[in-house]
Amino acid sequence: MHYILAIDQGTTSTRAILFDRSLRPVASGQEEFPQHYPQPGWVEHDPADLWATVAGTAREAMERAGATSDQIAAIGITNQRETTLLWDRATGQPLHRAIVWQDRRTADLCADLKAAGHEPMIRERTGLLLDPYFSGTKLKWLLDNLPGARSRAEQGELAFGTVDSWLIWNMTGGKVHATDATNAARTLLFNIATNAWDADICALLDIPMALLPEVRDCAAEFGVTRPDLFGGVSIPILGVAGDQQAATLGQACFQPGMIKSTYGTGCFALLNTGKDRVPSKHRLLTTIAYRLNGQTTYALEGSIFIAGAVVQWLRDGLKLIREASETQPLAEAADAAQQVVVVPAFTGLGAPHWYPECRGAVFGLTRNSGPAELARAALESVGYQTRDLLEAMRADWQAEAQGVLRVDGGMAASDWTMQFLADILGAQVDRPVVTETTALGAAYLAGLQAGICPPPEDFAREWSLQRRFDPEMAEDRRTIIYSRWKRAVAATMSA
């Protein structure tokens, strides 16, 4: 058993990475898949695309490494969270496209639930806000809008799941309908204090509990793959975590006060709060960081909807670049005297604002503003939004937070962006040797359950720094430009 296979099913692409027993990446496969936008503010994925890219990239990674299924000790899964699927238990066929976490179609429903006074109860039990981001209102929309869906759900004919459950179902040939505690905690239906589905919230949303998967630890038995899937030998699925929680594990943020921030399609910062379930007074989320051996570790989380997606907007929307890597030289060439600010609220603003109705805006344009200035402002927006999150975290967390931010994800590869992040935060930013920490976290969970990987405290000692970015910006400059950002956000929200 030479390898651990990590499957990282993301919002715009799927990646599979084969790690050796020392958790060094050996080979990988990656494939993008289509995004569907049937109406403004709606975002969907074809469930068949999610499954096909997982199977395809896993086989590709195995082929590149020359690995066979009998050489793989375990599979770990990490996934885009909150994305909602509903399928037929008998046939395995989805009833609708997956409704993606970015989708805003249930904004009116969330507003109605808030107006009726339900948010305090939901927040106390789930740690979440009433926002279209989460799975519960998406599932209600499916049951309300698909003919016969609710009656079939009540009869036990249908299954709900986030992407991890969908993949486990397909990998095991429909034998296992399960999720882990971190994904369950993002549904709006899971009580993070009792670690169980909440019957009251399900009743409020008129969701039959027969739909829901079994909730297990992050490192646990999730069944075995169909023998024919990867070449004749079944592989055990031993680790599952939502992408941001997997990145927290991959960054070895096991101690209370440690913070990591992942820069993918969105940006997600997690602060480990240990055994303390810290309620936020600054509109952050209280969530489960991980659950191992039945013990729950909590976190404060700030969610930014648009991070790497702002670079995709430059590429696909404005056609200013052909490759994401072009943004750094453009930003370096931008006129420093210009004051262009991009507020990338393309699907609303996430934490700490939680304003789903507002949309993106650009401020400070002049006749001399061009691609370079827009590219710089787009990259800077990620740093500004991160500071918004970390200021809210420091206000909520009474204990001493560590003064270092560990970063990962695609945008972490940009030296310019990471230096600006350190500058605007006034804090050290650490980039690890292995920046694919989401997949690393999934592999670690699977290896831990398989008895291959060391316990968390030993794994933490193996974390390696690739580069540290120290703040270089003067404090008065930092104050001025961050104030400009806050004015731009306020104007965007009032438009």
Side-chain angles (χ1 to χ4, degrees):
M1 296 292 184
H2 302 297
Y3 304 108
I4 301 169
L5 176 62
I7 291 167
D8 182 359
Q9 201 301 297
T11 307
T12 58
S13 69
T14 299
R15 177 174 297 181
I17 302 179
L18 210 58
F19 290 86
D20 66 16
R21 295 174 64 91
S22 299
L23 293 182
R24 292 185 294 257
V26 175
S28 66
Q30 184 170 3
E31 185 177 350
E32 292 190 0
F33 53 86
Q35 310 292 302
H36 300 277
Y37 307 100
Q39 293 186 32
W42 293 26
V43 189
E44 296 177 351
H45 291 156
D46 186 334
D49 289 339
L50 303 181
W51 170 234
T53 55
V54 163
T57 56
R59 291 174 183 139
E60 181 182 356
M62 291 170 63
E63 289 172 4
R64 287 183 174 179
T68 54
S69 57
D70 60 345
Q71 295 176 311
I72 299 175
I75 291 174
I77 297 173
T78 183
N79 55 282
Q80 54 167 315
R81 303 170 304 172
E82 299 94 16
T83 295
T84 302
L85 297 101
L86 186 65
W87 65 92
D88 186 305
R89 289 183 182 273
T91 66
Q93 292 300 307
L95 274 67
H96 191 273
R97 283 178 180 160
I99 302 180
V100 179
W101 59 271
Q102 298 163 314
D103 190 282
R104 314 306 288 172
R105 76 186 64 186
T106 62
D108 289 344
L109 170 60
C110 291
D112 291 343
L113 290 167
K114 285 182 187 178
H118 295 299
E119 186 169 62
M121 179 273 288
I122 289 175
R123 187 163 191 184
E124 167 63 25
R125 298 187 187 189
T126 69
L128 309 178
L129 299 166
L130 269 171
D131 188 87
Y133 178 25
F134 306 109
S135 311
T137 57
K138 293 176 169 63
L139 177 55
K140 177 174 171 56
W141 186 94
L142 289 169
L143 296 174
D144 287 343
N145 287 273
L146 301 181
R150 178 165 277 104
S151 62
R152 295 189 64 200
E154 290 170 348
Q155 295 167 23
E157 297 177 9
L158 305 181
F160 151 76
T162 43
V163 171
D164 58 308
S165 294
W166 172 244
L167 299 181
I168 293 167
W169 180 276
N170 281 280
M171 284 184 172
T172 63
K175 293 182 179 179
V176 178
H177 183 212
T179 188
D180 84 295
T182 68
N183 278 294
R186 312 298 296 191
T187 61
L188 208 72
L189 306 174
F190 190 73
N191 189 315
I192 63 172
T194 63
N195 269 277
W197 297 115
D198 194 287
D200 294 336
I201 299 176
C202 289
L204 175 65
L205 297 178
D206 199 12
I207 292 174
M209 296 185 73
L211 279 171
L212 306 177
E214 179 186 344
V215 181
R216 303 179 183 177
D217 283 357
C218 299
E221 306 280 342
F222 290 90
V224 298
T225 62
R226 300 185 337 243
D228 62 313
L229 189 57
F230 296 122
V233 175
S234 294
I235 306 172
I237 305 165
L238 299 182
V240 178
D243 51 10
Q244 304 315 314
Q245 284 85 352
T248 301
L249 293 161
Q251 287 279 34
C253 291
F254 295 116
Q255 296 300 315
M258 296 186 74
I259 310 175
K260 75 89 202 175
S261 190
T262 298
Y263 297 94
T265 301
C267 165
F268 303 86
L270 266 75
L271 166 66
N272 185 323
T273 63
K275 296 179 181 179
D276 296 330
R277 186 167 53 95
V278 178
S280 175
K281 297 178 181 178
H282 298 84
R283 298 183 65 76
L284 298 176
L285 307 177
T286 304
T287 195
I288 294 176
Y290 49 88
R291 196 175 85 189
L292 299 174
N293 298 318
Q295 297 296 313
T296 301
T297 297
Y298 294 98
L300 282 171
E301 177 177 331
S303 306
I304 297 168
F305 298 149
I306 301 295
V310 75
V311 177
Q312 293 175 326
W313 170 67
L314 294 175
R315 182 191 67 187
D316 303 333
L318 299 185
K319 312 293 185 185
L320 296 183
I321 58 173
R322 289 172 294 181
E323 301 290 340
S325 59
E326 296 173 29
T327 55
Q328 179 161 322
L330 278 173
E332 292 169 344
D335 180 2
Q338 293 202 43
Q339 301 177 2
V340 179
V341 177
V342 172
V343 181
F346 305 142
T347 56
L349 285 171
H353 311 288
W354 294 107
Y355 195 165
E357 292 81 13
C358 73
R359 292 296 178 261
V362 181
F363 297 89
L365 292 174
T366 71
R367 282 288 300 272
N368 292 328
S369 301
E373 287 70 35
L374 283 170
R376 183 190 66 186
L379 296 182
E380 287 177 341
S381 73
V382 176
Y384 290 132
Q385 291 178 96
T386 304
R387 178 164 171 177
D388 288 346
L389 297 183
L390 265 60
E391 289 202 345
M393 284 181 172
R394 291 187 181 110
D396 279 334
W397 176 242
Q398 299 303 311
E400 184 72 22
Q402 296 194 9
V404 177
L405 176 67
R406 290 186 173 181
V407 296
D408 55 82
M411 292 191 81
S414 168
D415 289 352
W416 192 95
T417 306
M418 294 302 100
Q419 184 58 56
F420 180 77
L421 181 60
D423 287 341
I424 198 62
L425 296 179
Q428 293 174 332
V429 172
D430 282 1
R431 184 171 64 196
V433 170
V434 179
T435 56
E436 292 300 333
T437 52
T438 303
L440 177 62
Y444 173 69
L445 287 171
L448 182 67
Q449 182 67 18
I452 296 171
C453 294
E457 59 272 17
D458 293 336
F459 177 68
R461 285 192 284 270
E462 298 173 1
W463 185 92
S464 298
L465 176 70
Q466 187 267 333
R467 178 172 173 180
R468 169 167 287 176
F469 297 85
D470 292 302
E472 299 173 352
M473 184 179 291
E475 182 61 35
D476 58 347
R477 169 69 176 166
R478 182 181 303 124
T479 300
I480 289 169
I481 64 173
Y482 185 58
S483 296
R484 186 184 303 145
W485 161 260
K486 289 197 289 187
R487 290 194 301 271
V489 171
T492 302
M493 293 174 66
S494 64

